[in-house]
Amino acid sequence: MAEYGILIDPAWCTGCHSCEVACQMENGLPAGQFGIKVNEIGPWEIAPDKWLLSYAPAFTDQCTMCLLRRKKGKVPSCVHHCQAKCLEFGTIEELSEKLSDHPKQLLCSFV
């Protein structure tokens, strides 16, 4: 089992795509390839004149959780550059404890 992971709180994601750009730059990925991808959900009308639009960051198979950065004691690039601070890096144990505070968060771990 993986020792570290990234906790995502999509409720705070603004869809700025800073995590995508940081990932591409850090890992030298070509245009159109991502270690993390921000997906747009909506917009759709949920009531008269009330619309819902949200964003959901998702990790791809190209994510290495910035192994080289972590070997230098840094957090993954996506976490460091997330303007909304909706991504958090830590041990699975630490991050699992935080899930009870916000049940719609997602915990991603990597082998």
Side-chain angles (χ1 to χ4, degrees):
M1 181 177 204
E3 186 178 341
Y4 293 96
I6 297 177
L7 186 64
I8 305 169
D9 192 343
W12 294 101
C13 181
T14 62
C16 72
H17 301 273
S18 293
C19 57
E20 288 179 5
V21 174
C23 176
Q24 283 181 311
M25 298 298 290
E26 182 73 32
N27 296 293
L29 297 173
Q33 292 185 22
F34 308 91
I36 185 170
K37 179 76 173 131
V38 177
N39 299 294
E40 186 175 298
I41 302 168
W44 62 82
E45 194 170 15
I46 58 174
D49 294 324
K50 186 173 181 181
W51 292 80
L52 179 64
L53 173 65
S54 57
Y55 301 94
F59 292 95
T60 73
D61 287 342
Q62 290 184 288
C63 178
T64 64
M65 212 182 324
C66 290
L67 185 60
L68 296 177
R69 281 181 62 86
R70 292 190 297 117
K71 284 183 178 179
K72 296 176 185 176
K74 299 178 180 180
V75 299
S77 188
C78 61
V79 175
H80 178 73
H81 291 281
C82 179
Q83 295 180 26
K85 301 296 181 202
C86 67
L87 302 175
E88 186 175 346
F89 175 77
T91 66
I92 297 297
E93 186 177 309
E94 292 169 338
L95 298 176
S96 294
E97 291 174 10
K98 295 182 179 195
L99 284 173
S100 62
D101 296 338
H102 303 281
K104 290 188 179 180
Q105 292 182 49
L106 308 165
L107 178 55
C108 297
S109 63
F110 304 84
V111 178

